[in-house]
Amino acid sequence: MTLDLDMLNSRHALAGTLRFTRAGDGPTLAEIDNALGSASIALEGGQILTWAPQGQEAVVWLSPRAKYAAGKSLRGGVPVCWPWFGPHATESGFPAHGFARNKPWEVVSSEQLADGATRLALKLRQDQETAGWWPHRAELTLAVTVGAALRIELTTRNLGDQPLTLSEALHTYFHVGDIAGVSVSGLEGCPFLDKVDGGSRKIQDGAVTIAGEVDRVYLGTTATTVIHDTGLKRRIRIAKSGSRSTVVWNPWAEKGAKFGDMGDDGYRRMLCVETANALDDAVTVAPGASHALMAEYAVEA
Ligand code: TA6
């Protein structure tokens, strides 16, 4: 399904700050560039691809080898994992991390805010295929506010008459100078499930550092985390609400190379710190109720 650029721009473009573009058979992009920051968001998948405050190096990392294919998320950015995180609990043939990141989203609204930020709201299109994977009536919206900070709100509204249980994540790839010079604070003492060590449960001792493949789901944490990047001489603060899990992932060299879309040393330039509700922290949304998962990123020198 090709989204009509003329219709998108006539209805939702904002003079000087938001326009919709498409290069060749690439994704349909909402390109935001205002006095505070710039970002690009693919409507296919509702995937933020890039974000940087004005004058800053990219904060959200997009692989230089990312290859667009309809129905698949690009390597990098902020893939939306919903309505399950990781492999499906029982159906190995269902898509990993749910289907929201593989489906087209429609534009609900666009707004230039008084503080100079730009807000874009999208809604997931669900169809026969998604109903086959998840036969429930729910509406999923994504609100992205682009400014000197990046605020992302993923809201699930239960339109049915039964409670809905789901897991989810904003699977954000952050750009770092070199992974060897990076640590993450805010998870000290937090229990986590170590997917690199057979899913064993451990407790985080001190800051998180990365010297090999790391794939950890920290549980029961509402903490703000901070990526300390000595390479780019900056900190990235990751605040959140509506989230009790934080996932930290770096594939390292071997797994990174196997993906084929990370670039040779791509793993050294990225770290995923994901704002989630995963495993024990799956959420249940009552009939007619809504649940919002929110993350806000800011850069500090
Ligand atoms: O969040 C970490 C993780 O679950 C890893 O186990 C790895 O699978 C990663 O997500 C990337 O998954 P993807 O399906 O986007 O390649």
Side-chain angles (χ1 to χ4, degrees):
M1 181 206 70
T2 302
L3 296 151
D4 179 61
L5 281 182
D6 291 344
M7 183 278 289
L8 283 167
N9 280 310
S10 64
R11 278 195 196 162
H12 301 295
L14 298 170
T17 54
L18 165 61
R19 64 198 181 105
F20 296 87
T21 64
R22 184 181 303 121
D25 54 5
T28 310
L29 297 179
E31 297 203 79
I32 293 172
D33 189 14
N34 60 45
L36 304 174
S38 60
S40 59
I41 301 154
L43 299 191
E44 292 82 358
Q47 185 175 0
I48 299 165
L49 299 180
T50 60
W51 169 64
Q54 293 303 355
Q56 274 279 355
E57 290 257 359
V59 177
V60 170
W61 180 80
L62 184 65
S63 168
R65 296 285 179 81
K67 292 186 276 293
Y68 175 66
K72 262 182 69 58
S73 65
L74 283 140
R75 181 67 61 191
V78 184
V80 173
C81 303
W82 186 92
W84 60 83
F85 177 80
H88 187 273
T90 56
E91 301 286 345
S92 58
F94 284 13
H97 290 320
F99 50 78
R101 64 175 178 166
N102 302 334
K103 285 289 179 182
W105 292 58
E106 60 190 66
V107 179
V108 172
S109 64
S110 59
E111 189 183 357
Q112 191 54 29
L113 304 178
D115 67 359
T118 306
R119 185 178 185 277
L120 179 69
L122 307 176
K123 182 169 80 172
L124 173 65
R125 286 174 188 266
Q126 299 181 54
D127 55 21
Q128 291 291 357
E129 189 178 38
T130 62
W133 289 318
W134 205 61
H136 304 293
R137 290 180 55 232
E139 181 184 80
L140 185 67
T141 54
L142 184 75
V144 184
T145 305
V146 176
L150 180 69
R151 182 182 176 89
I152 311 169
E153 295 164 273
L154 184 70
T155 303
T156 301
R157 194 154 70 91
N158 183 351
L159 304 176
D161 55 11
Q162 295 300 316
L164 288 180
T165 297
L166 60 99
S167 53
E168 58 188 350
L170 296 170
H171 194 297
T172 306
Y173 290 70
F174 289 97
H175 171 217
V176 296
D178 185 285
I179 194 65
V182 168
S183 64
V184 180
S185 62
L187 295 167
E188 293 80 358
C190 186
F192 66 93
L193 187 139
D194 187 345
K195 288 167 68 174
V196 171
D197 184 12
S200 53
R201 292 189 179 236
K202 303 173 180 175
I203 301 290
Q204 180 59 37
D205 178 17
V208 181
T209 53
I210 320 287
E213 182 185 356
V214 166
D215 193 349
R216 302 176 183 175
V217 181
Y218 290 85
L219 294 163
T221 171
T222 57
T224 291
T225 51
V226 178
I227 297 175
H228 302 260
D229 181 353
T230 57
L232 292 178
K233 296 184 177 55
R234 68 184 184 185
R235 291 190 300 271
I236 301 172
R237 183 169 298 277
I238 302 162
K240 65 176 192 173
S241 66
S243 160
R244 293 184 51 76
S245 316
T246 293
V247 179
V248 177
W249 176 62
N250 186 290
W252 209 249
E254 190 185 344
K255 197 165 273 186
K258 277 194 194 129
F259 283 125
D261 57 4
M262 287 286 283
D264 300 342
D265 63 352
Y267 76 96
R268 302 202 66 89
R269 307 278 172 262
M270 55 66 68
L271 178 64
C272 281
V273 178
E274 305 162 38
T275 298
N277 287 301
L279 304 175
D280 315 13
D281 295 326
V283 294
T284 297
V285 187
S290 287
H291 153 76
L293 172 71
M294 188 285 292
E296 186 161 85
Y297 309 141
V299 179
E300 301 166 352

